[in-house]
Structure formats: structure tokens, C-alpha cells
């Protein structure tokens, strides 16, 4: 039996299901030089450039363009592609177990992530639990990323969601707030135990 007003749980990807962390890799790339790491992300592979990948631009195309503009950073840019798997430091196993318990109790579970399609395809063989979800939408397929409106609109359509009966779980408050504007129930993720407590308040007891 499901709670009377909830039938679907919509999970973020990085930060909720999978731990993604670029810092250890780039501390290695730059031999522990914190200033060099900060300069790389502030001046070369900036958040705006990373967003291009998340919105669907081919990763290697962007990296090649940046390498022409910043030839002294080519080795660090190459690492973003060749060593990308190292930035996925593991799954949040307690969250994964929670998603399985939800499905066993009759709930739909889906994923909405700010990832490029290339990144998702590379992650799937290692994180095979992604195939257990009822649907996955990533920003690279939509050309829009959270907290923008278009990605939520696409998720509602593609995953056949009823926002008033869906809980959206994300580790960033601005994304949860955006989900709520589209009618979702929302929870800012910190850990699986706190999420389970929140779900209990919604009538979901596992």
C-alpha cells in the first residue's frame, strides 16, 4: 500500500544517489597545489563551462575548445574526460537501499539529474542500480538544468509525474524550491535517515 497522497519519489543523482567529487582528482592533478586547483575552476573549467556539458554539449568538444584558449591547462582538461570515473567516489548505499524499499512498497521511483548523457552512460555499468528506477531524465537530454523551469516541465511530461503526488529529493535547496514551484513536495537531502523521517511525515512508512 502507498500513502494516499504520494505515489512517486523523484531523486537527484549526484549528492543523493552517487557521490561526485572533483576535488580529490584535481588535488592529484595539481600535486596538492590548492591555488592551482582554485585557478583551474575559477578561470578555465568554470561552473558556466561545466553547465554547458550538463546541458548537452559534447564533453570532448568543450574541452578541446578550452585547451586552445588555455593551452597551459591541457593536462588538467584532459583529466576531466580520461579520469572522470575517479570523481564518482561511490554510491550512497543507504539511499539506494531506501529506493528499493520504496519500490517494494509499491512506489514509483525516478531520477532527475544535472548530468550530461555521456556521463550517465559512463556511470551506468558501474552503478547498475540506476537501471532499477522507473525513469531517468538528465539535463543533457533536455538542454536545461535544475533549477530552471524547462527541466522540471520535461520531467513531468517524460516521466508522467503528478507533482502533487510526487516527492522531489535534492541536496540543493534552490533546486527543491524550484520543484515546489512546480507543485512537487520537496525535501533537501542530507542523509538517508533524515529522508526516511521526512517520508514518515508524508505517511510513507517502510
Amino acid at each position: 500500500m502507498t500513502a494516499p497522497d504520494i505515489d512517486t519519489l523523484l531523486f537527484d543523482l549526484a549528492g543523493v544517489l552517487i557521490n561526485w567529487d572533483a576535488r580529490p582528482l584535481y588535488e592529484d592533478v595539481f600535486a596538492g597545489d590548492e591555488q592551482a586547483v582554485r585557478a583551474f575552476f575559477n578561470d578555465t573549467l568554470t561552473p558556466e563551462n561545466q553547465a554547458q556539458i550538463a546541458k548537452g554539449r559534447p564533453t570532448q568538444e568543450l574541452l578541446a575548445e578550452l585547451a586552445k584558449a588555455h593551452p597551459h591547462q591541457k593536462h588538467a582538461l584532459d583529466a576531466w574526460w580520461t579520469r572522470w570515473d575517479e570523481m564518482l567516489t561511490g554510491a550512497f548505499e543507504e539511499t539506494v537501499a531506501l529506493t528499493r524499499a520504496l519500490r517494494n512498497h509499491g512506489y514509483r521511483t525516478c531520477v532527475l539529474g544535472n548530468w550530461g548523457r555521456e556521463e550517465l552512460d559512463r556511470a551506468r555499468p558501474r552503478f547498475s542500480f540506476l537501471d532499477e528506477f522507473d525513469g531517468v531524465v538528465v539535463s543533457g537530454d533536455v538542454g536545461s538544468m535544475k533549477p530552471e523551469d524547462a527541466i522540471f516541465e520535461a520531467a513531468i511530461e517524460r516521466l508522467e509525474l503528478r507533482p502533487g503526488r510526487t516527492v522531489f529529493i535534492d541536496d540543493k535547496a534552490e533546486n527543491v524550491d524550484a520543484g515546489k514551484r512546480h507543485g512537487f513536495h520537496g525535501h533537501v537531502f542530507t542523509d538517508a535517515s533524515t529522508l526516511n523521517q521526512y517520508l514518515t511525515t508524508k505517511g510513507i512508512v517502510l
Side-chain angles (χ1 to χ4, degrees):
M1 295 293 293
T2 63
D5 59 339
I6 302 294
D7 58 29
T8 303
L9 292 300
L10 179 63
F11 289 84
D12 180 27
L13 193 48
V16 175
L17 295 169
I18 296 173
N19 189 23
W20 180 93
D21 188 355
R23 177 158 291 278
L25 168 61
Y26 279 92
E27 287 176 347
D28 180 60
V29 168
F30 290 106
D33 186 338
E34 287 289 332
Q35 184 175 351
V37 174
R38 288 195 298 271
F40 176 70
F41 286 113
N42 287 337
D43 304 327
T44 304
L45 194 55
T46 63
E48 292 77 15
N49 285 325
Q50 293 177 46
Q52 291 188 54
I53 296 172
K55 290 185 177 184
R57 185 172 182 186
T59 305
Q60 289 178 292
E61 176 185 285
L62 174 64
L63 296 177
E65 178 181 291
L66 292 175
K68 289 181 180 179
H70 307 275
H72 63 293
Q73 296 284 25
K74 186 177 186 305
H75 71 296
L77 290 163
D78 287 345
W80 189 268
W81 179 258
T82 62
R83 300 178 63 182
W84 184 81
D85 293 346
E86 295 178 43
M87 293 187 272
L88 305 180
T89 60
F92 290 103
E93 296 294 350
E94 291 183 352
T95 311
V96 173
L98 180 58
T99 68
R100 288 172 174 153
L102 287 163
R103 286 190 290 275
N104 287 338
H105 281 74
Y107 296 94
R108 296 180 70 228
T109 62
C110 300
V111 173
L112 181 62
N114 281 347
W115 278 30
R117 168 55 59 173
E118 293 171 318
E119 285 70 27
L120 178 65
D121 289 344
R122 287 178 67 170
R124 274 189 183 276
R126 179 176 166 192
F127 300 98
S128 57
F129 64 81
L130 292 172
D131 294 328
E132 300 172 15
F133 285 85
D134 295 286
V136 176
V137 169
V138 291
S139 54
D141 289 339
V142 179
S144 172
M145 60 190 292
K146 298 172 291 184
E148 298 168 353
D149 289 336
I151 191 169
F152 288 98
E153 293 164 0
I156 291 168
E157 178 181 356
R158 298 182 188 190
L159 300 173
E160 299 181 343
L161 303 175
R162 292 179 291 181
R165 296 177 66 90
T166 301
V167 175
F168 172 53
I169 300 120
D170 195 291
D171 64 321
K172 292 183 172 57
E174 61 267 30
N175 294 341
V176 173
D177 288 343
K180 288 179 177 179
R181 289 196 296 272
H182 286 82
F184 293 101
H185 302 271
H187 175 73
V188 180
F189 180 85
T190 54
D191 57 67
S193 177
T194 305
L195 171 58
N196 200 5
Q197 293 172 24
Y198 167 80
L199 295 178
T200 300
T201 70
K202 292 294 184 183
I204 300 172
V205 180
L206 303 177

